[in-house]
């Protein structure tokens, strides 16, 4: 059943008549059973939403049908958007990846079943065992054939990126990543130029295909720091190691493109405030006010520029002994290093805002992260990180909606309140 907040949102966007269906797993499952020949759906779970008001709404689903799990995503379009999608639909049909039942004209919804993906045309080559073996042989002429045995999906963000664990016939493992056109170049440059040093470990590039926009990367060992505030593996020593590894990254003299500087951060804040205004109007003025306050503060900060991760968070870190592996360098480039530190702490504060961890844990991790960082690179014993923590937290305000939390409006308000407190108290 469509929740009341989702129903209100759908009513605010009549240009997308399919919005109320793709946001309601029960209604979506009912439509799947009615419209898709031979597909008997047992269970549907929405795991990710990418919503552009008055334009489109893509929802990634995990679907269990006939006892088998599969990836599927649905996109609700405006009428004009649906017409523009026609050329992609025709290409996917010609490749045997779509059929007439995948277009719901009345609802203005398009269904894509993995590996059908207009922005990731290389996926069918990875999904098919024989074609995957041939592709890997071209990537690794000396040993590619042995890598075609098994593929395990790790992360799939439709129309953006696909990540999988690849196992060889001899038991070796690697990571294979497939990218949309606009992100491959930056990711490829990062894994080519960024190097392991000191406490930092980064995956070596084993192979690359420009044509298919695919990277084959080393599999790095370690325990994940995901769910940082409630992860028993996240002791003080591990967090200090992460800080040291981040400092090692920031000190590398690598020529990459500009990524997120202070100006870009500020622009993102105001774009984010507009998103809040549409998603949850009662919080619009608060999101805008804290964005204005942070704009004024960040503009006054002295400029800093180095190699940065660009999207740094605990779930992208594996700790093994006295080293930390950064497993995702896709957003790496030149920018303000305080943005990385702020991003890491922002995710922790999001956990606190949602009641998943407490202030004592937040403060302890903050202290250990800084200590580890300062052992390698000094940026002032008490640099003012709070504007970057608050800004990065505010940029995650749509995550409760995006990842389909049951009471996402309340979670949205809690995140904004936490950002306000950080800005008011100048924590961090």
């Amino acid at each position: 059943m469509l929740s009341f907040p989702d129903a209100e949102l759908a009513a605010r966007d009549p240009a997308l008549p399919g919005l109320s269906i793709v946001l309601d797993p029960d209604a979506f499952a009912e439509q799947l059973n009615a419209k898709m020949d031979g597909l008997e759906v047992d269970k549907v779970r929405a795991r990710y939403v990418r919503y552009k008001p008055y334009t489109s709404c893509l929802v990634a689903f995990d679907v269990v049908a006939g006892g088998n799990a599969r990836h599927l995503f649905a996109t609700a379009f405006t009428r004009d958007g649906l017409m523009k999608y026609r050329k992609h639909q025709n290409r996917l049909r010609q490749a045997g990846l779509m059929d007439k039942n995948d277009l719901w004209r009345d609802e203005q919804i398009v269904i894509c079943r993995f590996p059908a993906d207009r922005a990731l045309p290389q996926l069918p080559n990875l999904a098919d065992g024989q074609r995957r073996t041939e592709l890997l042989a071209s990537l690794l002429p000396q040993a590619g054939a042995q890598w075609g045995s098994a593929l395990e999906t790790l992360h799939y963000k439709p129309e953006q990126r696909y990540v999988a664990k690849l196992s060889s016939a001899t038991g070796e493992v690697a990571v294979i990543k497939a990218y949309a056109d606009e992100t491959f170049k930056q990711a490829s440059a990062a894994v080519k130029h960024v190097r392991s040093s000191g406490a930092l470990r980064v995956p070596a590039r084993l192979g690359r295909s420009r044509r298919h926009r695919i990277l084959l990367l080393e599999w790095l060992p370690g325990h994940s720091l995901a769910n940082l505030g409630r992860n028993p593996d996240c002791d003080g020593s591990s967090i200090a190691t992460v800080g040291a590894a981040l400092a090692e990254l920031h000190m590398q003299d690598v020529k990459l493109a500009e990524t997120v500087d202070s100006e870009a951060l500020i622009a993102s804040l105001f774009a984010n405030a507009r998103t809040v205004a549409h998603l949850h109007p009662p919080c619009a003025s608060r999101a805008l006010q804290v964005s204005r306050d942070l704009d004024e503060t960040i503009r006054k900060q002295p400029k800093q520029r180095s190699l940065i991760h660009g999207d740094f968070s605990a779930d992208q870190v594996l700790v093994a002994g006295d080293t930390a592996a950064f497993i995702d360098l896709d957003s790496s480039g030149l920018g303000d290093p305080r943005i990385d530190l702020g991003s890491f702490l922002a995710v922790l504060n999001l956990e606190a805002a949602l009641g998943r961890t407490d202030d004592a844990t937040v403060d302890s991790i903050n202290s250990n992260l800084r200590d580890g960082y300062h052992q390698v690179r000094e940026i002032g014993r008490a640099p003012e990180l709070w504007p970057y923590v608050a800004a990065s937290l505010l940029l995650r305000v749509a995550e409760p909606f995006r990842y389909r939390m049951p009471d996402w409006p309340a979670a949205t308000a809690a995140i904004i309140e936490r950002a306000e407190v950080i800005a008011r108290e100048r924590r961090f």
Side-chain angles (χ1 to χ4, degrees):
M1 180 178 178
L2 191 67
S3 69
F4 181 71
D6 287 339
E8 285 191 319
L9 180 63
R12 288 195 294 273
D13 200 343
L16 298 176
L19 190 57
S20 60
I21 296 175
V22 296
L23 292 180
D24 182 351
D26 292 336
F28 183 66
E30 184 178 336
Q31 291 290 333
L32 282 176
N33 281 324
K35 296 177 180 290
M36 311 294 273
D37 293 339
L39 187 67
E40 296 182 6
V41 175
D42 302 315
K43 185 178 179 181
V44 171
R45 182 181 72 88
R47 60 178 174 82
Y48 170 78
V49 173
R50 186 164 68 250
Y51 175 46
K52 299 177 182 178
Y54 316 113
T55 303
S56 65
C57 182
L58 181 154
V59 183
F61 293 95
D62 291 327
V63 174
V64 177
N68 297 314
R70 61 184 70 193
H71 298 298
L72 178 154
F73 67 94
T75 307
F77 285 105
T78 63
R79 188 165 297 280
D80 287 345
L82 190 65
M83 293 298 291
K84 292 177 181 177
Y85 189 84
R86 284 284 182 86
K87 63 177 181 179
H88 303 290
Q89 180 192 0
N90 291 337
R91 176 176 60 80
L92 292 170
R93 279 186 175 178
Q94 290 168 6
L97 297 171
M98 290 187 72
D99 61 36
K100 59 182 178 61
N101 295 323
D102 294 324
L103 173 63
W104 302 354
R105 295 182 184 278
D106 292 343
E107 297 84 1
Q108 294 170 208
I109 292 173
V110 173
I111 307 299
C112 288
R113 291 173 278 186
F114 185 84
D117 191 314
R118 60 175 173 172
L120 297 171
Q122 65 275 63
L123 289 188
N125 290 326
L126 293 178
D128 180 88
Q130 180 59 39
R131 290 156 70 182
R132 181 169 69 247
T133 299
E134 294 171 357
L135 173 60
L136 292 168
S138 69
L139 286 174
L140 297 170
Q142 302 303 317
Q146 74 175 13
W147 282 100
S149 57
L151 189 76
E152 176 188 345
T153 299
L154 299 176
H155 184 71
Y156 176 39
K157 193 168 279 191
E159 299 186 352
Q160 292 186 344
R161 189 178 66 163
Y162 175 77
V163 184
K165 178 181 179 181
L166 192 66
S167 300
S168 75
T170 57
E172 298 174 276
V173 292
V175 175
I176 192 162
K177 292 185 173 185
Y179 297 86
D181 188 35
E182 65 273 11
T183 57
F184 173 73
K185 184 177 180 180
Q186 183 177 358
S188 181
V191 297
K192 177 181 179 181
H193 294 292
V194 180
R195 293 287 179 261
S196 298
S197 63
L200 172 66
R201 292 291 177 269
V202 295
R205 190 178 76 184
L206 305 178
R208 176 186 65 167
S209 171
R210 287 195 185 97
R211 176 188 172 192
H212 296 286
R213 302 194 299 275
I214 284 175
L215 294 175
L216 187 64
L217 305 174
E218 176 187 15
W219 179 274
L220 293 174
H223 61 260
S224 172
L225 295 192
N227 304 315
L228 181 60
R230 46 204 164 100
N231 187 328
D233 291 325
C234 300
D235 57 22
S237 176
S238 294
I239 300 303
T241 297
V242 174
L246 183 61
E248 291 281 358
L249 179 76
H250 288 169
M251 291 195 305
Q252 292 196 24
D253 184 15
V254 175
K255 306 301 181 186
L256 293 178
E258 200 81 33
T259 179
V260 183
D261 60 9
S262 295
E263 290 292 331
L265 181 64
I266 291 166
S268 295
L269 276 177
F270 286 105
N272 185 72
R274 291 191 292 271
T275 298
V276 173
H278 183 81
L279 279 181
H280 192 42
C283 284
S285 60
R286 293 170 61 194
L288 181 59
Q289 185 57 55
V290 72
S291 296
R292 287 171 175 163
D293 294 342
L294 291 170
D295 174 11
E296 182 179 354
T297 301
I298 290 172
R299 289 186 187 277
K300 294 177 181 177
Q301 301 300 309
K303 301 296 183 184
Q304 295 187 28
R305 188 171 182 267
S306 72
L307 173 67
I308 68 172
H309 184 277
D311 186 26
F312 193 52
S313 60
D315 61 357
Q316 298 179 7
V317 179
L318 301 173
V319 172
D322 59 356
T323 66
F326 295 175
I327 58 177
D328 184 353
L329 298 173
D330 292 351
S331 300
S332 295
L334 300 180
D336 191 320
R338 292 167 295 190
I339 290 174
D340 276 350
L341 289 158
S343 177
F344 189 91
L345 294 170
V347 176
L348 186 60
N349 277 275
L350 186 147
E351 294 286 293
L354 300 181
R356 297 170 179 170
T357 192
D358 54 33
D359 284 344
T361 300
V362 173
D363 291 340
S364 175
I365 290 175
N366 173 44
S367 178
N368 287 311
L369 182 73
R370 286 178 181 242
D371 285 348
Y373 191 96
H374 289 305
Q375 288 174 13
V376 177
R377 181 176 190 258
E378 188 69 44
I379 57 171
R381 280 307 301 173
E384 286 203 324
L385 292 181
W386 66 266
Y388 303 92
V389 178
S392 293
L393 177 59
L394 203 59
L395 291 178
R396 289 170 168 79
V397 74
E399 290 194 3
F401 170 77
R402 185 175 297 131
Y403 294 105
R404 308 312 292 140
M405 289 185 61
D407 192 3
W408 60 261
T412 299
I415 292 171
I416 293 173
E417 181 179 1
R418 184 82 178 185
E420 291 170 333
V421 169
I422 293 170
R424 183 172 63 248
E425 297 181 358
R426 300 197 168 201
R427 296 187 65 187
F428 312 103

